[in-house]
């Protein structure tokens, strides 16, 4: 059994070393995707150029403006004093957003009335615009929370924090967004690469007809799958650590928790992803179909349902249940803790068990399908 | 002693019957030909016999094991060369041999000996490090055969092994097959080339999944072509065929390259025992047309192709 698996693994390595397309997926795809997504995240959320039209021009209004300029996310580039200039700023692209403070700002606050502040956001790039909107919301709310606290204190009422809104926001002052997103990004990159590599490699054998030659030999479908997974496990482990290294160099994200669990967790996640690729290959008849299926099945759910972008706690309950079937969810939990905080090693074991569970189920289903397959 | 015993084997895909209730036996050490036109169900049958495709109904014993219930045992005793090209083009000759040796569990000395043998029969000694993609088709095919039988199986299945190969390479390939059979290996081979079928000890013919004839090439010719076959070369074979078809003197008219093969009706023969007469009848009929020139006309011994075409036509006629 060992000998047969090794023969397959060895053959696979030889083929990989000679296949330009596979080498590209291995060496170029991860780097390109990481830089692309990594910078997309950091650039968009750092230093939003902002213009200010302060009709009130009082201490209160300046205080409010300072709450923006004080954070690293906004850079106040210019002040204007009429509506025409506001439009010009946005039209010429000098700023991405303008805050207009009404003339009764401080007076209304003093009278404890509702205050309406106008934010004009360049909506050309919808994505950036929505990010800015979130920021502006967050910054404004934390400012009004401050006011609430002050007001209550002045009145001699026992001070209490109304609601801690922070976790609802995409950003918060204490947490660097890149650090927050990088684990999800790594999880997404790894699953895409792992699934594509295995599914393509198996479907190519179907296309060429060589898989028949293997199926007719005494090699079991289980041995075939293991023999195929080993080389890609080694390769994608190397990719995973290269990405971590790049994360350190480019985005200053370092490992804060256990290295051993990082290794075990990554390995289990890769096993789950690779066996998912094997399972997908049993449904696809051409490399092109396999490629598209792999992308669709690995990328989309990982982005939407894994907690990478949208926090799982704020999803509707049925979707929360669905998110349990996304392997990336468990890896992201583990990776976030290891990379950012390194505080709760007791949860690592459970995540790893879940991931290994996925691998076992996928391999079992794939082996069954390969054995029963009618076409090939 | 039978190597393969097929009993009422069928395979249905959806509502399409690919193999329809066929039964036959193959003796040990025999070269057994499996003929049929495109889509007749040859590859489907072979895959079932190799244990990689489950039969819908029926069963077969291959090397004494049931393909329905013991496919893993079947696999241990057979070699298979699929219709699709089955070597890795991006591996060298040596790497291909190592791989197939490996999946069949060969190691060390045994692997070395068998590698030597494969290189020898494929004529690739000294070219071990050549990439398989750069070999000519003839070499590839012999290498593929070598890899398929690297573990010295008792039974081998070859699915159209000589497709797209030049006549000399085909001949070499068949020499290898004959050698294997002489050493006691049972060879089950499908082919489109009816001249190749003449090398087989016994053959079966299937059409649209149904077995339509079985026997040695000699038996088949004797059984099905009782009538005389006449070969006709002329200036316009299509026109000639058209004229003769109207006359109701032939059982079948088939086109072979630039000539016609006419399978005559038996009654004509019984009218007159003189052989030349049929040729004379045809010559007379065709001479009515001034444009048509006969270059050559003679009686020939029927080939398997005649048998095959006769049977397929007869089956179609029966169905109508
Ligand atoms: N997996 C499948 N699903 C549906 N139909 C199939 C499947 N495999 C084969 N067939 C059909 O069964 C019929 C027999 O196919 P098969 O490949 O056995 O023919 P063949 O005799 O080997 O033909 P050829 O000489 O072209 O190789 C064909 O009509 C084919 O389309
Ligand atoms: Mg076929």
């Amino acid at each position: 059994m060992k000998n047969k698996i090794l023969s397959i693994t060895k053959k696979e390595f030889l083929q990989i070393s000679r296949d330009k397309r596979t080498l590209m997926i291995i060496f170029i795809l991860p780097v390109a995707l990481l830089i692309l997504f990594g910078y997309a995240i950091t650039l968009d959320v750092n230093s939003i150029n902002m213009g200010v039209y302060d009709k009130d021009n009082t201490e209160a209004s300046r205080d409010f403006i300072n709450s923006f300029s004080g954070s690293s996310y906004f850079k106040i580039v210019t002040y204007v004093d009429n509506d025409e200039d506001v439009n010009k700023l946005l039209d010429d692209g000098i700023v991405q957003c303008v805050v207009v403070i009404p003339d009764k700002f401080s007076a209304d606050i003093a009278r404890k009335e509702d205050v309406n502040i106008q934010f004009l956001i360049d909506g050309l790039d919808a994505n950036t615009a929505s990010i800015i909107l979130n920021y502006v919301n967050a910054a404004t709310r934390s400012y009004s929370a401050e006011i609430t606290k002050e007001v209550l204190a002045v009145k001699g009422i026992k001070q209490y924090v109304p609601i801690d809104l922070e976790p609802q926001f995409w950003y918060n002052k204490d947490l660097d967004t890149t650090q927050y997103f990088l684990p999800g990004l790594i999880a997404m990159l790894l699953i895409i690469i792992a699934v594509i590599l295995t599914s393509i490699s198996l479907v190519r054998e179907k296309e060429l007809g060589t898989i028949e030659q293997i199926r007719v030999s005494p090699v079991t479908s289980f041995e075939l799958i293991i023999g195929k997974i080993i080389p890609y496990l080694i390769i994608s482990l190397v990719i995973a650590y290269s990405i971590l290294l790049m994360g350190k160099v480019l985005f200053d994200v370092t490992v804060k928790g256990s290295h051993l669990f990082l290794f075990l967790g990554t390995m289990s996640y890769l096993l789950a992803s690779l066996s998912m690729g094997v399972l997908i290959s049993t449904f696809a008849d051409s490399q092109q179909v396999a490629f598209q299926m792999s992308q669709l099945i690995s990328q989309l759910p990982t982005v939407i349902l894994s907690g990478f972008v949208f926090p799982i706690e704020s999803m509707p309950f049925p979707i929360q249940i669905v998110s349990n079937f996304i392997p990336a969810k468990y890896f992201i939990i583990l990776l976030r803790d290891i990379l950012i905080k390194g505080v709760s090693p007791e949860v690592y074991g459970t995540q790893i068990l879940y991931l290994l569970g996925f691998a076992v189920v996928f391999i079992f289903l794939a082996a069954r399908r390969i054995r029963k397959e009618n076409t090939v | 002693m039978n190597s393969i015993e097929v009993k009422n084997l069928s395979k249905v895909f959806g509502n399409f019957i690919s193999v329809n209730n066929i039964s036959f036996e193959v003796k040990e050490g025999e070269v057994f030909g499996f003929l049929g036109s495109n889509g007749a169900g040859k590859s489907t049958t072979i895959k079932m016999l190799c244990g990689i495709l489950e039969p819908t109904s029926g069963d077969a014993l291959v090397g004494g094991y049931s393909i329905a219930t013991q496919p893993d045992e079947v696999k241990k005793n057979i070699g298979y060369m699929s219709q699709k090209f089955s070597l890795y083009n991006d591996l060298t000759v040596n790497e291909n041999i190592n791989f197939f040796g490996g999946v069949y569990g060969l190691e060390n000395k045994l692997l070395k000996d068998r590698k030597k043998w494969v290189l020898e029969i494929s004529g690739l000694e000294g070219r071990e490090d050549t990439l398989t993609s750069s070999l000519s088709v003839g070499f590839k095919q012999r290498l593929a055969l070598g890899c398929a039988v690297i573990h010295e199986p008792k039974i081998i299945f070859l699915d159209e092994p000589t497709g797209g190969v030049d006549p000399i390479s085909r001949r070499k390939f068949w020499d290898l097959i004959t050698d294997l059979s002489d050493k006691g290996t049972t060879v089950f081979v499908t082919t489109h080339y009816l001249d190749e079928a003449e090398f087989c000890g016994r053959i079966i013919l299937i059409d649209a999944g149904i077995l339509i004839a079985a026997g040695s090439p000699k038996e088949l010719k004797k059984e099905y072509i009782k009538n005389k076959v006449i070969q006709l070369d002329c200036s316009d074979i299509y026109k000639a065929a058209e004229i003769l078809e109207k006359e109701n003197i032939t059982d079948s008219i088939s086109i072979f390259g630039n000539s016609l093969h006419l399978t005559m009706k038996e009654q004509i023969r019984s009218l007159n025992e003189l052989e030349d007469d049929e040729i004379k009848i045809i010559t007379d009929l065709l001479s009515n047309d001034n444009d048509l020139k006969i270059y050559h006309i003679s009686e020939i011994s029927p080939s398997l192709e005649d048998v095959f075409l006769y049977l397929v036509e007869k089956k179609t006629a029966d169905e109508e």
Side-chain angles (χ1 to χ4, degrees), chain A residues 3-4 7-8 10-11 14-16 18-19 204-220 371-376, chain B residues 11 13 47 50 52-54 75-76 78 80-88 90-92 95 98-100 102-107 131 148:
Chain A
N3 190 4
K4 289 178 208 158
S7 301
I8 295 172
K10 204 168 146 195
K11 179 221 84 180
L14 285 168
Q15 289 190 299
I16 294 167
R18 286 175 197 154
D19 181 26
R204 189 177 46 205
E205 298 227 19
K206 264 202 224 181
E207 279 183 352
L208 294 175
T210 45
I211 194 128
E212 261 183 31
Q213 220 61 49
I214 299 177
R215 289 183 62 217
V216 84
S217 74
V219 171
T220 63
R371 208 168 33 239
K372 297 263 172 204
E373 208 157 17
N374 270 341
T375 46
V376 181
Chain B
K11 181 72 196 180
F13 293 110
K47 283 179 199 172
C50 289
I52 55 176
L53 187 66
E54 258 180 293
K75 288 179 191 176
K76 285 183 193 146
I78 60 157
Y80 166 64
M81 203 175 138
S82 77
Q83 183 174 2
K84 283 185 182 178
F85 194 61
S86 48
L87 294 168
Y88 293 95
D90 48 356
L91 298 188
T92 64
E95 289 160 354
N98 282 341
F99 173 70
F100 286 106
V103 298
Y104 280 105
L106 306 187
E107 288 175 293
L131 267 189

Side-chain angles (χ1 to χ4, degrees), chain A residues 354-367:
Chain A
Y354 274 120
L355 290 170
L356 290 177
F358 277 109
V360 170
V361 171
F362 288 153
I363 290 177
F364 173 76
L365 291 177

